[in-house]
Amino acid sequence: MQLANCPLCRSDHTKTEQVADANDDSNFPALEDLLAAGTITVIVHSKGVSCSATDNNSWRLLPVAREPSKRPQDPLLWGIGFLVDNLFLRATCKLDRSGQVLLIRVYLIPHDLPSVQERLRCRNAVVIKEGRRYLHSTLSLVSRSPRLWSAEEPILSWESNHFLPRKLDNRTMAEIYSDLDSPVVPPRCVPLARDVAEGKPVWGLRSHLYSYQRRSVAVMIEKELSPLPVLDPLYVAVTSVRGEQYYFQPSTMTILRETPMVAPGRGGILCEELGTGKTIMILALILSTAAQIPQPEESVVDSRPVLTPLAYRHFALPECTAARTRAGQEPSEVYGIPSLVEILLHSISSRSQASSWCEYENSLEGTNLWPLLHSNVPFYHHYDLNLAAEIFGSSRPRSQPELGPRVMYLSAATLIVVPLTLLGQWDREIQKHCHSKVRAFIVRQRDVLPAARILATEYDLIVMSDVRFRRESRNKKVSRLHALRQCACSCFEGSRVPNCQCPGDAQVTPLLQVRWKRLVVDEGHISGNVSATINYFVKQLSIERKWIVTGTPTSNMLGLSLGRTTEGQETDLYGSPNSGSISDCNTPERTPPSMDSGIRIWGRYDSDNLRKLGTMITDFLAIPQFHTDRKSFGVHVSSPLCVRQGPRPFSTNILSQVMRMVMIRHRVEDLEKDIVLPPMKHEIVYMGLSEYALKSYNAMQAGIAINAIDSERQGPDYMFHSTRAKELQNAIDNLSQGMFWSASNILYNVDQICEEAQSFRARALQRQIPKEEYELLEGALSHAATAANDTLWRAIQRHEDVPFKVTGLNSSIYEAWTRGDLKTKSREVDLMHSNRLVELRNFVYARPLISPQNLICEGIQLNAEEARRLKQEPSQRREVTHAGTVKSVTDVFKEEIETSKRKAKLARSSRAPGQTEDSVESGCLASESQPCPPNLQLLQSSPLSGVRVGPSLSTKLNYILTEAIQYSADEKILIFSKSPLTLAHVAEGLTLFGIKYLRYTCDMQPALREHAVMTFESSDCYRLFLIELKLGARGLNLVSASRVIFCEPVWHPDVESQAIKRAHRIGQLNRIIVKTLVIRCTAEEAMIDRRQYLSYREQMPKMTTESGMRQFMENPRFLNLVSCEPEQLSMLLIDARASGLIRGSENDSAAGVDVERLEPACIYEGQCDGSSKQKRVKFAENN
C-alpha cells in the first residue's frame, strides 16, 4: 500500500500529539495490556526521498489529529484516526532505515480491559457501526509476521499471514460438517458418562455397544448432566505477535482477554452416519439415566419445590406448608411426625437415584411398598402469571383470587416422536435391544393416552408418531389445568399416601401436565422448518432435555459416507450397435466442469439450510445463548457467511464451532476402526425397449415434438414454458413410466396427430421453419402413423397390464381367455395378461380333467361378465398424467384377513381326533381359498399341458423376474420405484411366476406397512420387497436383503444412497449388489450422465430446470432399434405351481403360515375391471 503523504513529514515534532514515548498518554491504556495484532507496511516516499524522522529509531504514536477536520484524507489514516479516537485500537509507527517504508504497529483494545470498560459502553450505535467497518478494512492489512513487528530487513519481502486471513476457505456447509471432530469424552466428566465410556453394562440393555457408540452416549450424558459452562462458539482464539492468547468475535470485531463462556444446552443433534445404530444409542442414553427425574422448570419469579402427594398432604416442611397456603388450603395444626418409611417414600420419589427403583421391581412387587411407590408421583406447582394477566387483565382487583396452580408431574420417562412409518421399527428395535423389564409404551393411532400421573411414572419411554403428536397438540387449553380441583382422594389402607384416581381434563392432552425428562425426535430435521407444528407444540411442553436424531440434519448434510466405496460398473444387458456412450445419441458430453478458482459465494440454497439449522438450535433445542437472543444466530453465523462478496474471515470457523457445540457425530475414519461394512457393488444395467414398448415411447415423443414445433417453442401452449411446470413434470413421469410399461386409452393421441398431419405440415411450411425442425416433424408424424396402423399395438393399449408371450396354447382356448383385441388374427405372437394366466391356471388346478370345450365356455363367460361389469360402471377416460394413481390396494384387505382367521378358527374347532392343527388348517385353506393341487399325471392330461409362458413386453420387468428366479432362493431383494404402477406390474409378474413378495407403498395402511417390514425381516418365505421410493428411502432397517434393484434412475443421489442404506448398514453380513435399470438413448441415460456431470455440486437442481436435462427433453429423439433381448424367461404354466408344491417346504405351503399372524403375510394379485385396476389379496398360498 502507498500513502500520498508521509504522516511523519507533515507532523510537527514539537507538538504534544507526537510523543516519543508511546505510553505517556494517560487517556489510553498501556500498550502492554493490549493485543499486539501485527504490522501494516506502507510506502510513503519515492526512491531517494527521506525525512528527518528517519534518524529516530524509536516507535512513536502514529500522528493523527484528534479533530476530524484536521485528519489527512487518506482512507487508511482517516480510519485509524477514527478507531484511535473511539478506543478501538492504538497505533505506533516508525520509518525503516531507507526512509521509504512506514511501519505501523496495531494494538487492539480488549473489551474486558478494566481501565476502559466504562468508556467502551458509552459508544453510540453509529460509532460502533463505523468502527466495525474501519476495523475490517484495517485488520485486513495487518500482517502477523514477528519479523515485520521487529522491523527486520528486508521489509517488503515477507510473505506473512494476516490478522484477517486472506486464504480462501471455500468449504461448503457439507464439507464443514464432514470435517467436524469425532466426540471425545472429557477427562473430567460426570461419573455416569465415564462408566458408559469404559464399557460398564447399561441397565436394561441387552445388546452390546461398539466403542464409538459408547463414546457418543457418554458425550450425550455429559451434555445433559454437566453443570460446567462451555466456550462461546461465537469467538475464535487468536494469538498476538507476542504469543498471548485472546478471543476474537469476527461479527462484532470484539476482543476479549478472558475466555468467554456460556451456559450449555441440555441436548443436541445426534447425527451419526446412516446405518450406524443411532436408535440403540438413544436407548442406551435412556436406560443409563432411567433413575433420574428432571428438576422443575426454572422461574425467576416463582419458587417451585419438588413435592410428593404424601409430603404435600401430611408433612410440615416449610416448602410443603408454603405450597398448601398458596394453593388456598386451610392450614392444619396437626400433621404428625412422618415415619421412617414415609420419609424414604418421599426421598425415593423426589430425588434422582444412582439406580432406578424399578430394578428392584421383582422383590418389591409382592410387598405393600410397591403401590405406594407408584402412587407417590413427584410434582410441583406451576403458577402462570402471564396466563393470569390474560384472563383477569392487568387491572385485576386485589380481591380477585390468584389463578390456581397447574400440577406438573416430574417424569423419568423419555418421550420419543418418530415418523409414522417408523413406529413399528422402533417397537421392534426396543424388543431387540432391551430386556423385557424395560417399560415401553408404543402409542398407536387409536390408543387413548392414560392420565398424566400414569404417563409420568409407569413407563421408561413413550413412543408416538409425529401424526399422533400433532393431533395431541390440538388439545392445548392450558388454562383448564389451572382450574382443576386439587386431589382429595382417600389414602391407601394403612398408609397416608393418597390413592389418587382423579381423571384429569379430557379436553387437554396429558402431555401438558408432565415435566418430561427428555424429548427425542427421530428424523428430527423436520424441526428445521420454522412453520413445523412440532416446534410450536414443543414450546408449550415442559421438557428438560431435547435431542434431534437424524442422519441428515439439513438437505446438504448427508451422513452417507460410511461404506460408500463401491465397485462401480456399467453393464449393457443385451449388446447392440447402440450400446456405447450416451454421446452416441447426441446428448451432452461427459466433460467435467472446470472449477472456479475464486471464492465460493454462499447462495440462497446455503441460506435456506443455515436457516433450518438455526431454527433447530434456536427454537427446538433452545440453546440458551441463541434462544435468549433469537437474532443471534443470524447476526453472528448466517449473515457473515452469506455476504455477496463471499464469506467474511473466520465465518466458517464460527459455523464449525456452533455445529461442534450441538452435534455428535464420528468421522468415517473413526467409525471404520470399530465397524467395517461389507463391500457394495453398484451396476448400471443398460437395455433397450421391446417392439411395442418402443412404439409407445416414440408415440409420446411424437406428441412432445409436435407440441414444440407447432407452438414455435414459445408461449403458454409450449410444454416447456415456465408457466407449465406441472404439465412438464407429468410428461416426464409419463416418459419414465413408459420406459417400464404404460398404456393409454387415448392411444397417446396418435389418431388425432394423423388426422391433423397435413395441417401440421402446412403451418410448418408457412412459417418456414428450419430444415432440422421439419425433419423432426416428419419423424414425429411417421412414428405416430406407425403406431396408429398397428392393430396389435392398439389392442395392447386397451388395458394397462403388461402382456406376456404364450406358446403351446390351443388357439380356441387362447381366444376365449385372452382379453380384448389381443386375439386379433393378424397377431404374430399370442399375448395374455398375467392375471388372466393366473386365473386360467387356478381354474385348471381346480378341474384338471376339464374338456377343452368346457374350458372355452368358461373363458367366454369370464369375458362376458367383465364386459357386463364395465358397462354398468361409468367409464373413466384414463390420461397418462398421474401414473401413481392408476393402481391401488383393495379396500377389502382387512375383510380378507378376518375371513382367513375365521377359516382357521373353524378348522381348529372341527378337526378330527389325532389330526394336527396344521394339517386341518392347511386343508381348510386349500379347499376354500385354493383348489387342492391335483396329481401330476392329471395335470399332464389337462388342456394346459405343454403351455409355456415366455417373457413380457417390458424388458425391465423381464430383467427383474430373471433376477428374482436366479437369486431369490438364496438372497432377499429390495425393489425400489417412485411409481406405484411400476411396482404393481412387478407384483403381477412375480405372482405369475410363483415368487412371494411383500409391498410397502403409500396406499397401504401404516399398520399393514409395519407388519410387512416385520414379516420380510423375520420370514424366509417372502423373498422380495417392493418399496415405493418416497416412502421407504428413510429409516427402515432391512438388513436381511442383500440385493437392491432400482426400476429407474434416481435423480437425487442422496435419495438413492438413503434407499441403499436400508440394506447396507450395521448388521449386514453379505455383500450388497445394487442395480439400476436404464433404457439406452433415453432421458434415463441422460439422467445418469448429468448426475455424474453435476456430482461436484453441493445442490442438485430440479431435473425440470437443469440445463442439460432440459436440453435433452426439449429436443425429442426417436428410437429405431428394438431390444435384442434373448428370450431366456420361460416356464411351463402349470408346472411352476406344481413344482412349488412338490418341494414340500414349510415356507412354501399354506400350513407353514400362522393365520393368526396373517396380516403381514399377504400377496397382491392383479384383478382386472376393464377401465382401471383394483387389487385383491391372496393369503398364504403357494404360487
Side-chain angles (χ1 to χ4, degrees), residues 808 810 813 844-845 847-853 855 934-947 1132 1134-1135 1138:
N810 179 277
I813 296 177
V844 171
Y845 268 96
R847 301 171 60 184
L849 297 182
I850 187 174
S851 66
Q853 188 60 39
L855 190 59
N935 187 280
L936 288 180
Q937 293 181 352
L938 297 180
L939 288 177
Q940 292 174 358
S941 303
S942 72
L944 299 186
S945 176
V947 177
L1132 288 171
I1134 61 172
D1135 186 56

Side-chain angles (χ1 to χ4, degrees), residues 176 315 493 517 648 710 768 793 797 887 952 1106 1140:
I176 296 172
F315 284 13
E493 183 178 356
K517 177 173 65 180
R648 292 191 179 277
D710 204 46
Q768 297 181 348
W793 178 84
Q797 301 306 309
K887 295 188 175 185
S952 72
E1106 199 279 317

Side-chain angles (χ1 to χ4, degrees), residues 460-477:
D460 297 310
L461 63 157
I462 300 167
V463 187
M464 67 170 57
S465 69
D466 53 356
V467 176
R468 178 60 184 269
F469 190 71
R470 293 188 184 95
R471 198 172 81 192
E472 292 296 324
S473 69
R474 301 170 190 166
N475 305 323
K476 53 185 178 181
K477 296 181 180 180

Side-chain angles (χ1 to χ4, degrees), residues 478-500:
V478 180
S479 59
R480 298 179 65 90
L481 297 178
H482 290 269
L484 289 177
R485 293 182 179 180
Q486 295 195 35
C487 176
C489 299
S490 61
C491 298
F492 284 94
E493 183 178 356
S495 169
R496 293 199 295 176
V497 176
N499 183 15
C500 181

Side-chain angles (χ1 to χ4, degrees), residues 925-1039:
L925 287 176
S927 62
E928 293 191 37
S929 62
Q930 161 74 28
C932 293
N935 187 280
L936 288 180
Q937 293 181 352
L938 297 180
L939 288 177
Q940 292 174 358
S941 303
S942 72
L944 299 186
S945 176
V947 177
R948 302 193 71 88
V949 177
S952 72
L953 298 188
S954 169
T955 53
K956 287 188 177 182
L957 178 57
N958 294 339
Y959 185 86
I960 292 173
L961 294 176
T962 302
E963 290 280 297
I965 293 171
Q966 183 175 357
Y967 298 109
S968 63
D970 301 318
E971 301 179 69
K972 288 190 175 183
I973 306 174
L974 305 181
I975 309 291
F976 283 100
S977 176
K978 65 180 180 181
S979 168
L981 179 57
T982 294
L983 296 178
H985 289 323
V986 175
E988 290 168 347
L990 294 173
T991 301
L992 176 61
F993 279 78
I995 302 172
K996 292 189 175 182
Y997 63 90
L998 293 168
R999 290 179 57 171
Y1000 193 88
T1001 57
C1002 292
D1003 49 17
M1004 297 172 61
Q1005 293 294 328
L1008 298 181
R1009 291 200 295 261
E1010 291 180 21
H1011 287 311
V1013 173
M1014 181 174 61
T1015 303
F1016 182 77
E1017 284 295 287
S1018 59
S1019 170
D1020 289 332
C1021 182
Y1022 300 95
R1023 312 301 296 173
L1024 278 82
F1025 206 5
L1026 313 185
I1027 306 175
E1028 193 170 346
L1029 186 63
K1030 70 178 181 180
L1031 191 66
R1034 286 182 180 271
L1036 297 180
N1037 186 342
L1038 302 172
V1039 293

